[in-house]
Amino acid sequence: MTQAQLPGVFGQLQPVLEHYGYLAVGGFVLLEDFGVPLPGETILIAAAIFAGSGHMNIAGVFVVAVIAAIIGDNIGFGIGHFGGRPLVHRFGRYIFLTPERLDQAEDYFRHGGKVVTIARFIAVLRQVNGILSGIIGMHWAKFLAFNALGAVLWVATWAGLGYLAGQHIVAIYSAIERYKWYALAAAALIAAALITRRIRAHRRDPARKTT
């Protein structure tokens, strides 16, 4: 597709995009959306960057990703609706969905359809929101509406940011590489200061001393 090399983690997905194009975007997003551990969000951003640099069509990326996201979540909804908790208890460990996490997530999803939209932007919840909505018995039409809204907002956000960064992504990564050691040094100093402060507070507090 292009001789330009995408920087960072996006460069690892470049051969996939060059070979499969929009099919890769749709496939990764669809599979990720019902629990398969694939970098759907990352390949969406990478495709948008490609589009921003003139190697893909951003409208095509947007449409394919939205359709794939909606279909993927609806497959997850079907799995949750027809398979229920027994299926998740049996196979959930493969997508890091333990019975304890399932209980917590179910409570979260009982707040209503708006959670389905918000979950699109949260890692892990994005992958299992269809399954959980099916398990708790959410009405399919309600799920479809809120899920479609979330898919459109999610794709628009990341595709838009990736597209805008497409012309300048190399410069952006160059700046990150240039200043990352300063940022790491600052973070280390802050961490050291917090640890020192905690140790001093512990020594000054007699109640915390062991007898």
Side-chain angles (χ1 to χ4, degrees):
M1 182 181 294
T2 175
Q3 296 301 315
Q5 178 65 38
L6 290 177
V9 66
F10 303 115
Q12 300 174 15
L13 293 172
Q14 179 170 341
V16 179
L17 282 172
E18 289 180 336
H19 191 73
Y20 295 104
Y22 302 101
L23 182 61
V25 178
F28 275 48
V29 171
L30 186 151
L31 292 172
E32 184 197 42
D33 278 4
F34 63 90
V36 179
L38 288 173
E41 188 171 81
T42 305
I43 202 168
L44 168 61
I45 298 171
I49 293 170
F50 254 23
S53 56
H55 300 293
M56 293 183 79
N57 184 287
I58 189 61
V61 171
F62 177 83
V63 171
V64 168
V66 168
I67 292 174
I70 294 173
I71 293 174
D73 273 342
N74 276 273
I75 292 174
F77 183 90
I79 293 172
H81 180 75
F82 294 106
R85 293 182 64 96
L87 187 66
V88 175
H89 284 171
R90 184 174 181 182
F91 299 105
R93 64 182 182 276
Y94 297 111
I95 56 173
F96 308 107
L97 187 58
T98 63
E100 294 76 16
R101 290 176 178 174
L102 176 60
D103 291 337
Q104 295 173 356
E106 279 190 272
D107 292 338
Y108 185 67
F109 270 74
R110 292 185 190 280
H111 285 84
K114 62 182 180 294
V115 176
V116 174
T117 300
I118 297 170
R120 167 64 56 180
F121 293 87
I122 304 173
V124 180
L125 286 182
R126 179 173 63 254
Q127 288 88 344
V128 299
N129 81 85
I131 296 174
L132 293 171
S133 297
I135 288 176
I136 68 172
M138 183 180 293
H139 194 283
W140 177 75
K142 180 179 181 180
F143 170 78
L144 178 63
F146 281 99
N147 175 56
L149 175 62
V152 169
L153 294 176
W154 175 70
V155 173
T157 298
W158 290 117
L161 291 173
Y163 183 76
L164 291 174
Q167 295 289 343
H168 310 288
I169 192 65
V170 174
I172 291 170
Y173 266 87
S174 295
I176 291 173
E177 287 296 319
R178 186 180 305 118
Y179 296 110
K180 69 179 181 181
W181 296 115
Y182 297 102
L184 288 172
L189 288 174
I190 292 172
L194 291 173
I195 292 172
T196 301
R197 180 180 178 182
R198 189 177 182 86
I199 292 174
R200 289 177 177 175
H202 181 78
R203 289 176 176 174
R204 286 197 299 265
D205 188 355
R208 293 185 177 182
K209 291 183 179 179
T210 58
T211 57

